[in-house]
Amino acid sequence: MSQSEVPLTSAWRRKLHEIIYEADTPAGKLFDILLLVVIIFSVILVLLESVPRLGKLYSEEFIQAEWVITIFFTIEYFLRIIAINKPTKYIFSFYGIIDFLSTIPLYLTFILPGGYNALLAVRSLRLLRVFRILKITRFIGEADKLTKAIKSSLPKILVFLFAVVVISIIMGTLMYLVEGAESGFVSIPVSIYWCIVTLTTVGFGDIAPVTPLGQLLATIIMIMGYGIIAVPTGIVSAEYTNAPKNNDNQVKKNPEYRHVNTQVCQNCLAKKHQDGAVYCHNCGYSL
Amino acid sequence: MSQSEVPLTSAWRRKLHEIIYEADTPAGKLFDILLLVVIIFSVILVLLESVPRLGKLYSEEFIQAEWVITIFFTIEYFLRIIAINKPTKYIFSFYGIIDFLSTIPLYLTFILPGGYNALLAVRSLRLLRVFRILKITRFIGEADKLTKAIKSSLPKILVFLFAVVVISIIMGTLMYLVEGAESGFVSIPVSIYWCIVTLTTVGFGDIAPVTPLGQLLATIIMIMGYGIIAVPTGIVSAEYTNAPKNNDNQVKKNPEYRHVNTQVCQNCLAKKHQDGAVYCHNCGYSL
Amino acid sequence: MSQSEVPLTSAWRRKLHEIIYEADTPAGKLFDILLLVVIIFSVILVLLESVPRLGKLYSEEFIQAEWVITIFFTIEYFLRIIAINKPTKYIFSFYGIIDFLSTIPLYLTFILPGGYNALLAVRSLRLLRVFRILKITRFIGEADKLTKAIKSSLPKILVFLFAVVVISIIMGTLMYLVEGAESGFVSIPVSIYWCIVTLTTVGFGDIAPVTPLGQLLATIIMIMGYGIIAVPTGIVSAEYTNAPKNNDNQVKKNPEYRHVNTQVCQNCLAKKHQDGAVYCHNCGYSL
Amino acid sequence: MSQSEVPLTSAWRRKLHEIIYEADTPAGKLFDILLLVVIIFSVILVLLESVPRLGKLYSEEFIQAEWVITIFFTIEYFLRIIAINKPTKYIFSFYGIIDFLSTIPLYLTFILPGGYNALLAVRSLRLLRVFRILKITRFIGEADKLTKAIKSSLPKILVFLFAVVVISIIMGTLMYLVEGAESGFVSIPVSIYWCIVTLTTVGFGDIAPVTPLGQLLATIIMIMGYGIIAVPTGIVSAEYTNAPKNNDNQVKKNPEYRHVNTQVCQNCLAKKHQDGAVYCHNCGYSL
């Protein structure tokens, strides 16, 4: 809230902040697109590397490409820290941690020599970075409405999911007793796994009842699943249908709505500043 | 309705009732949490015990843990009977029976020595007790709305399920005639089982049509199932969408709504007493 | 519309009509329940007879029971013809044909000695008779609303189903070219069958893509199916949500609504007569 | 906009345009039905030709029938070009390209002798021509509403599909690490394929988790898929429910609505001319 903190001293730091954290200038947009390309390229690399035939044939090239990406992310990570006034706030924010995890996998292989494969999962987390880029450019409206509808129907869906789990445990135990190990129901946890496979109408068929009583029980579970699937759908439908519509027209007519840009305060990382705002609405820092 | 019955004579019985049946005091909340932990622990025990490898390795420990749980439930069951004025009403209530069934499995093994495994199902019923704990604490609102929506759409869903069963029987008979025993359609009941597996879009694949005519019929069944699934979903959606909204704001403004606590009348087990109520709204007994 | 036709001459014919076609008198209700039991019993017989083990063991008993049912249905069929003024109208009505088909299977085996098995499907059609009984007793309201919602959304659902079929044919041809006979895609019709299995999210797994390109195509088909399933559901939901509500209260208050009973005109088979109506609202015949 | 272009010089060209492009005259309707029959016949031919047994037995007849259809389509294609004032506009329109692709497969076999099979996919594209015929006759209203509802919910569904893809990539990588190649999770792309199969509740079962941890992850993915499926359904439901109703009655009463016929301007291909219109509403050309 105070302006007593050290302001961004040089013009290039201000410029850097604008390019990396915002998407209103041409340079900012270009940086976002470049970053998006590198992220998607790095994830495709992970996918291809895991294909046995390709992994062996081009193992050299894969590691080289991974080095290029790692160096790019390392530079970007340090630039992000430099371009902001409160680096610790950024470092321990959700996207700060994702950025850090995106950078380190290759460095970790020096410490954990055999862990190259185990780090595949960490490298695929890079995909989460895409959400930040999307967030500061487009889709804000739609994603916001989607998130709201899901959030407001979450307690209902949780009650419902709890009911699904309880049904699965009780029916799973019954199926285990009725079918037994010969049909693949080797233990109650496996039976519960089968029950959820059936209730959700996935139905892999790796395990399937063979006794008449087991098939009757399965029929009951399936019809229950068929009826149950209507519940979360109905909930979300109702949320969407009853949600107040803030059409663009209404927003434009209404003087209380103002267009919000992608600027991020250099001091406190607050977002959604109005067009033409000079000071941060959160901490009063000069934008 | 009369106060002529024997009142709870001592302070500790009142206190006990408060702890076991209610969740408004710290002791009552603690008891609920403890009970929840023991119930979930006992159900996890049932799951792990059924895993062949674990069941053999730790059979001693499993039986010991089951004894601890059984003794805990036995004590709790008797305390529940002591802490209430009309024990028979509790014993033959839904939760009274569940409590009883949760307690006896291990005792039954003395009478039925080989029945230890068969009692797994009874032991998994303990999970139902979780609902009482949830009921007297939170989720009341959401679960209530869910139950109401399901109840009011139940007759419609029943008509629809009846249609599903009729379609399955007629199409099942047709598939049995078309495919025959070679493809796994060994009898009409199995054919009906397959039909429901297909209509509900579960699709295990343990039985699948192989003749062109059978596959054509299967296609028709699947498309019917795809269209039919829309019906219960539409019903529940409409129920939810058209349900009157009792927002918290409306409730707070409206003087006819009062907050309801988790107290249970010691005399008649009536619930949903208003905050600050001194006598039971159902039987007039002092709370 | 005229009363010049021959009236039901004797009291017992009137009585018979009341018992068989209506459900307002105790005798009428009893007859309906008896019929329901016989129908369900005859269908269960068909199911059990098809189980190879039971079919061999009790083949004698099955044929005897089938004879009893056939004789019962034969008598009922002739009584229905006797108890009505215009038998030809009944005979060629939907339920008249179902009744006839329910009666003849066993008689047909004299003409077609080997056709006993093929007549199983005809015998399972008896189940359709259940709908008439339900129709004249309960569930009228719910089933009516259900039928209306489905009817009014039928043109939309047809357009949508046509789209599903077109997508399946084009994607099926592509999958046939990509995967080929080794993966089970032996011909385009089989490929289309697989496509519908996938689009409807049934997913038997009897045929599954194995090439990377085939799996990519399958992924696209599945995501399309996932999006497409929303369409009929949305249509039915909207139909239900926007349908005018004729609550029971409104009906009771509204003097234009009258309670309708299960009487059927002996002359013209018209239904839905008001309580206390003396003449048929359709043909003026005395009820 | 000008009438200075060369008008259709002869009566037969006008007549031809009416028959081929419109469906208001008996001849136009007849042509549409004939075309529909030929298209469906040609697609059925493609399906049957791919069945190995039929393909070998009737290979001669299939090629002869294909020649008849090709000649029919060739003539129709040239007639379409002749009957219109701006042929290039038609040739490069969507349906112009589809018409061209429908005609050439057999001619291409002279250039690509081995490509007969690969052209099956091109031949199945003929099915798309059905949409034009339906468009200019019936179903316009319903299909229009359907298209509108889908279009207006498309951005929401895209955001949601993007979320599905991200979840699949991250969960697919995890499943690959947990299950490994022994259970069929041979690479991350295959793992992602399995993930989408599971999330969309298709569940082929060609690949299924076997380790306890993998089955636990699969359970989480299935329950997520079960919850996620509610989102697009809810979106489409809300779009349909909240869409303004333009009932036929309202349209008829409202003097601003006029009935629109299937005429197509010979000059600019504009559609939806009012009944009785003499000049094209788009270019002023005489209809």
Side-chain angles (χ1 to χ4, degrees):
Chain A
M1 296 286 168
S2 69
Q3 294 199 28
S4 59
E5 306 196 18
V6 186
L8 287 178
T9 44
S10 53
W12 68 266
R13 263 187 81 199
R14 278 193 166 270
K15 188 77 195 159
L16 195 67
H17 181 94
E18 220 170 86
I19 293 169
I20 294 181
Y21 285 94
E22 289 160 31
D24 292 324
T25 56
K29 268 180 195 155
L30 197 78
F31 177 80
D32 276 359
I33 291 163
L34 176 68
L35 193 58
L36 198 66
V37 169
V38 174
I39 290 167
I40 288 168
F41 175 70
S42 81
V43 171
I44 289 171
L45 218 72
V46 171
L47 302 194
L48 295 180
E49 207 175 326
S50 75
V51 180
R53 204 161 37 81
L54 296 175
K56 275 173 203 156
L57 223 71
Y58 303 103
S59 60
E60 287 293 300
E61 287 84 349
F62 279 127
I63 290 175
Q64 281 160 19
E66 183 59 27
W67 267 116
V68 172
I69 291 161
T70 298
I71 290 163
F72 178 90
F73 282 165
T74 310
I75 293 167
E76 186 222 342
Y77 187 66
F78 282 111
L79 289 181
R80 274 188 193 274
I81 290 173
I82 291 168
I84 214 156
N85 269 5
K86 294 184 174 171
T88 50
K89 197 165 179 182
Y90 160 70
I91 289 167
F92 296 106
S93 70
F94 176 69
Y95 283 115
I97 291 164
I98 295 291
D99 290 352
F100 181 70
L101 288 175
S102 302
T103 312
I104 52 159
L106 210 53
Y107 299 126
L108 279 179
T109 54
F110 294 114
I111 311 166
L112 306 146
Y116 189 67
N117 252 335
L119 293 165
L120 278 176
V122 179
R123 280 162 66 195
S124 79
L125 282 179
R126 285 172 184 163
L127 206 63
L128 290 175
R129 302 189 67 191
V130 170
F131 283 107
R132 177 169 48 192
I133 298 170
L134 294 178
K135 211 172 172 184
I136 58 171
T137 45
R138 292 180 283 209
F139 290 116
I140 305 181
E142 287 309 332
D144 255 33
K145 268 162 79 181
L146 210 79
T147 317
K148 250 180 221 168
I150 290 169
K151 251 185 204 161
S152 69
S153 46
L154 202 67
K156 280 170 207 150
I157 286 178
L158 279 181
V159 170
F160 151 81
L161 281 186
F162 180 73
V164 167
V165 168
V166 168
I167 291 171
S168 297
I169 291 177
I170 291 173
M171 295 307 271
T173 311
L174 271 177
M175 286 302 288
Y176 168 73
L177 291 175
V178 165
E179 284 285 329
E182 300 84 42
S183 332
F185 295 80
V186 290
S187 69
I188 294 180
V190 166
S191 235
I192 292 168
Y193 159 73
W194 174 87
C195 232
I196 288 175
V197 167
T198 306
L199 259 184
T200 54
T201 79
V202 173
F204 285 129
D206 52 343
I207 307 165
V210 292
T211 64
L213 189 57
Q215 292 181 335
L216 185 68
L217 268 176
T219 301
I220 293 166
I221 294 169
M222 281 180 274
I223 289 180
M224 276 168 74
Y226 205 49
I228 284 173
I229 208 168
V231 177
T233 312
I235 293 166
V236 177
S237 289
E239 289 294 333
Y240 260 104
T241 309
N242 293 331
K245 310 258 188 112
N246 22 345
N247 282 315
D248 293 322
N249 295 330
Q250 287 181 302
V251 170
K252 275 167 195 160
K253 280 174 197 156
N254 195 331
E256 297 194 34
Y257 284 88
R258 284 278 165 80
H259 184 252
V260 155
N261 59 30
T262 65
Q263 281 189 302
V264 177
C265 174
Q266 278 180 303
N267 194 40
C268 72
L269 292 170
K271 281 170 209 162
K272 297 194 179 169
H273 296 282
Q274 286 174 21
D275 282 343
V278 181
Y279 297 108
C280 171
H281 63 72
N282 187 31
C283 69
Y285 191 84
S286 162
L287 289 170
Chain B
M1 296 289 168
S2 69
Q3 294 200 26
S4 60
E5 306 194 19
V6 185
L8 289 178
T9 43
S10 52
W12 67 266
R13 263 187 82 199
R14 280 194 165 269
K15 187 77 195 158
L16 195 66
H17 180 95
E18 220 170 84
I19 292 168
I20 294 181
Y21 284 94
E22 289 159 31
D24 292 324
T25 56
K29 268 180 194 157
L30 197 78
F31 177 80
D32 276 0
I33 290 163
L34 177 68
L35 194 57
L36 198 67
V37 169
V38 175
I39 290 168
I40 288 169
F41 175 68
S42 81
V43 171
I44 288 171
L45 218 71
V46 171
L47 303 195
L48 295 180
E49 207 175 326
S50 75
V51 180
R53 203 160 38 82
L54 296 175
K56 274 174 202 155
L57 224 71
Y58 303 102
S59 60
E60 287 292 300
E61 287 84 348
F62 279 126
I63 291 176
Q64 281 161 18
E66 183 59 28
W67 267 116
V68 172
I69 291 160
T70 298
I71 289 164
F72 179 89
F73 282 165
T74 310
I75 293 167
E76 186 223 343
Y77 186 66
F78 282 111
L79 288 182
R80 276 189 190 273
I81 291 174
I82 291 167
I84 215 156
N85 269 6
K86 294 183 174 171
T88 51
K89 198 166 178 182
Y90 159 69
I91 289 167
F92 295 105
S93 70
F94 175 69
Y95 284 115
I97 291 164
I98 294 292
D99 290 352
F100 181 71
L101 289 175
S102 300
T103 313
I104 52 159
L106 210 53
Y107 300 126
L108 279 179
T109 54
F110 295 114
I111 311 167
L112 305 146
Y116 188 69
N117 251 335
L119 292 165
L120 278 175
V122 179
R123 281 161 66 195
S124 79
L125 282 179
R126 284 172 184 162
L127 205 64
L128 290 175
R129 303 189 68 192
V130 170
F131 283 107
R132 178 169 46 191
I133 298 170
L134 294 179
K135 213 173 170 181
I136 58 171
T137 45
R138 290 180 285 210
F139 291 115
I140 304 180
E142 286 309 332
D144 256 33
K145 268 163 79 180
L146 209 80
T147 317
K148 249 179 222 168
I150 290 169
K151 250 183 205 164
S152 70
S153 48
L154 203 65
K156 279 169 208 151
I157 285 177
L158 279 181
V159 169
F160 152 81
L161 280 186
F162 181 74
V164 167
V165 169
V166 169
I167 290 171
S168 297
I169 291 176
I170 291 174
M171 295 307 271
T173 312
L174 271 177
M175 286 303 287
Y176 169 73
L177 291 173
V178 165
E179 284 285 328
E182 301 84 42
S183 333
F185 295 80
V186 290
S187 68
I188 294 181
V190 166
S191 236
I192 291 168
Y193 157 73
W194 173 87
C195 233
I196 289 175
V197 167
T198 307
L199 260 183
T200 53
T201 78
V202 172
F204 286 130
D206 52 344
I207 306 165
V210 292
T211 65
L213 189 56
Q215 292 181 335
L216 185 68
L217 269 175
T219 301
I220 294 165
I221 294 169
M222 281 180 274
I223 288 180
M224 277 167 74
Y226 205 50
I228 285 173
I229 208 169
V231 177
T233 311
I235 294 166
V236 177
S237 288
E239 289 295 331
Y240 260 104
T241 308
N242 292 331
K245 310 257 187 111
N246 20 345
N247 282 316
D248 293 322
N249 295 331
Q250 285 180 305
V251 169
K252 275 168 194 160
K253 281 174 196 156
N254 194 332
E256 297 193 33
Y257 284 89
R258 285 278 167 79
H259 184 252
V260 154
N261 58 30
T262 65
Q263 281 189 304
V264 177
C265 174
Q266 277 181 306
N267 194 40
C268 72
L269 292 171
K271 282 170 210 162
K272 298 193 179 169
H273 296 281
Q274 286 173 22
D275 282 343
V278 181
Y279 296 107
C280 172
H281 63 75
N282 186 31
C283 70
Y285 192 85
S286 163
L287 290 169
Chain C
M1 297 287 170
S2 71
Q3 294 200 28
S4 60
E5 306 195 18
V6 186
L8 289 178
T9 43
S10 52
W12 68 265
R13 263 188 80 199
R14 279 193 167 270
K15 188 78 195 158
L16 196 66
H17 180 94
E18 220 170 85
I19 292 169
I20 294 181
Y21 285 94
E22 290 159 31
D24 292 323
T25 56
K29 268 180 195 157
L30 197 76
F31 178 79
D32 275 0
I33 290 162
L34 177 67
L35 194 57
L36 197 67
V37 169
V38 175
I39 291 167
I40 287 167
F41 175 69
S42 81
V43 171
I44 288 171
L45 219 70
V46 171
L47 303 195
L48 295 179
E49 209 175 324
S50 75
V51 180
R53 203 161 37 83
L54 296 174
K56 275 173 201 155
L57 223 72
Y58 302 103
S59 61
E60 287 292 299
E61 287 83 347
F62 278 127
I63 291 175
Q64 281 162 19
E66 184 59 27
W67 267 116
V68 172
I69 291 161
T70 298
I71 289 164
F72 178 89
F73 281 166
T74 311
I75 294 168
E76 187 224 341
Y77 187 66
F78 283 111
L79 289 181
R80 276 190 190 273
I81 291 172
I82 292 168
I84 215 155
N85 269 7
K86 295 182 172 171
T88 50
K89 197 164 177 180
Y90 160 69
I91 288 166
F92 295 105
S93 70
F94 175 70
Y95 284 115
I97 291 164
I98 294 290
D99 290 353
F100 182 69
L101 289 175
S102 301
T103 313
I104 53 159
L106 210 51
Y107 299 127
L108 279 179
T109 54
F110 294 114
I111 312 167
L112 305 146
Y116 188 69
N117 250 335
L119 292 165
L120 277 176
V122 179
R123 282 162 66 196
S124 79
L125 281 179
R126 284 172 184 161
L127 205 64
L128 290 175
R129 302 188 67 192
V130 170
F131 283 107
R132 177 169 47 192
I133 298 171
L134 293 179
K135 212 173 172 184
I136 58 171
T137 44
R138 291 179 286 208
F139 290 116
I140 305 180
E142 287 309 333
D144 256 33
K145 268 163 79 181
L146 210 78
T147 317
K148 248 179 223 168
I150 290 168
K151 251 185 203 161
S152 69
S153 46
L154 203 64
K156 279 169 210 153
I157 285 177
L158 280 181
V159 170
F160 152 80
L161 280 186
F162 180 74
V164 167
V165 169
V166 169
I167 290 171
S168 297
I169 292 176
I170 291 174
M171 294 308 270
T173 312
L174 271 178
M175 285 303 287
Y176 168 73
L177 291 174
V178 165
E179 284 286 329
E182 301 83 43
S183 334
F185 294 80
V186 290
S187 69
I188 294 181
V190 166
S191 234
I192 292 168
Y193 158 73
W194 174 86
C195 233
I196 289 175
V197 167
T198 307
L199 259 183
T200 54
T201 77
V202 172
F204 285 130
D206 52 343
I207 307 165
V210 291
T211 64
L213 189 56
Q215 292 182 334
L216 185 69
L217 268 176
T219 301
I220 293 165
I221 294 169
M222 281 180 274
I223 288 179
M224 277 169 74
Y226 205 49
I228 285 173
I229 209 168
V231 177
T233 311
I235 294 166
V236 176
S237 288
E239 288 295 330
Y240 261 104
T241 308
N242 293 331
K245 310 257 187 112
N246 21 346
N247 282 316
D248 293 322
N249 295 330
Q250 286 181 304
V251 169
K252 274 167 196 161
K253 280 174 197 158
N254 195 332
E256 295 192 35
Y257 283 90
R258 284 278 166 76
H259 184 251
V260 154
N261 59 31
T262 66
Q263 281 189 303
V264 177
C265 175
Q266 277 180 306
N267 194 40
C268 71
L269 292 171
K271 282 169 210 163
K272 298 192 180 171
H273 296 280
Q274 286 174 21
D275 282 345
V278 182
Y279 296 108
C280 172
H281 64 73
N282 187 31
C283 69
Y285 192 85
S286 162
L287 290 170
Chain D
M1 295 287 168
S2 69
Q3 293 199 29
S4 60
E5 306 196 19
V6 186
L8 288 178
T9 43
S10 54
W12 68 265
R13 264 187 81 198
R14 280 193 166 271
K15 188 76 196 161
L16 195 67
H17 181 94
E18 220 170 86
I19 293 168
I20 293 181
Y21 284 93
E22 290 160 31
D24 292 324
T25 57
K29 268 179 195 157
L30 198 76
F31 177 80
D32 275 0
I33 290 163
L34 176 68
L35 193 59
L36 198 66
V37 168
V38 175
I39 291 167
I40 288 168
F41 175 69
S42 81
V43 172
I44 288 171
L45 219 70
V46 171
L47 303 195
L48 295 179
E49 209 175 325
S50 75
V51 180
R53 202 160 39 80
L54 296 174
K56 275 173 201 155
L57 223 72
Y58 303 105
S59 62
E60 287 292 300
E61 288 83 348
F62 278 127
I63 290 175
Q64 282 162 18
E66 184 59 27
W67 267 115
V68 172
I69 291 161
T70 298
I71 289 163
F72 179 91
F73 281 167
T74 310
I75 294 168
E76 187 223 340
Y77 186 65
F78 283 110
L79 289 182
R80 276 189 190 273
I81 290 173
I82 290 167
I84 214 156
N85 269 5
K86 293 184 175 170
T88 50
K89 197 165 180 182
Y90 159 70
I91 288 167
F92 296 105
S93 71
F94 176 69
Y95 283 116
I97 291 164
I98 294 291
D99 291 352
F100 181 70
L101 290 175
S102 301
T103 312
I104 53 158
L106 211 51
Y107 299 126
L108 279 181
T109 54
F110 293 115
I111 311 165
L112 306 145
Y116 189 68
N117 251 335
L119 292 165
L120 279 175
V122 179
R123 282 162 66 195
S124 79
L125 281 180
R126 284 172 184 162
L127 205 64
L128 290 175
R129 302 189 66 192
V130 170
F131 283 107
R132 176 168 49 191
I133 299 171
L134 294 179
K135 210 173 173 184
I136 59 170
T137 45
R138 291 178 286 209
F139 290 115
I140 303 180
E142 287 309 332
D144 256 33
K145 269 163 77 181
L146 210 78
T147 316
K148 249 179 224 169
I150 290 169
K151 250 184 205 162
S152 69
S153 46
L154 202 67
K156 280 169 207 151
I157 285 177
L158 280 181
V159 170
F160 151 80
L161 280 186
F162 180 74
V164 166
V165 168
V166 169
I167 290 171
S168 296
I169 291 177
I170 291 173
M171 294 307 270
T173 312
L174 270 178
M175 286 302 287
Y176 168 73
L177 291 174
V178 165
E179 283 284 330
E182 301 83 42
S183 333
F185 295 80
V186 289
S187 69
I188 294 181
V190 166
S191 235
I192 291 169
Y193 158 75
W194 174 86
C195 232
I196 288 174
V197 167
T198 306
L199 259 184
T200 54
T201 79
V202 172
F204 285 130
D206 51 344
I207 307 164
V210 291
T211 63
L213 189 56
Q215 292 182 336
L216 185 68
L217 268 176
T219 301
I220 292 165
I221 294 169
M222 282 180 273
I223 288 179
M224 275 168 74
Y226 206 50
I228 285 172
I229 209 169
V231 177
T233 312
I235 294 166
V236 177
S237 288
E239 289 294 331
Y240 261 103
T241 308
N242 293 331
K245 310 257 187 111
N246 22 344
N247 282 316
D248 294 322
N249 294 331
Q250 286 181 304
V251 170
K252 275 167 195 160
K253 278 174 198 156
N254 195 332
E256 296 194 34
Y257 284 90
R258 284 278 166 79
H259 184 252
V260 155
N261 59 31
T262 65
Q263 281 189 303
V264 176
C265 175
Q266 277 180 303
N267 194 41
C268 72
L269 292 171
K271 282 169 208 162
K272 298 195 180 168
H273 296 280
Q274 286 174 22
D275 282 344
V278 182
Y279 297 107
C280 172
H281 63 73
N282 187 31
C283 69
Y285 191 84
S286 163
L287 290 170

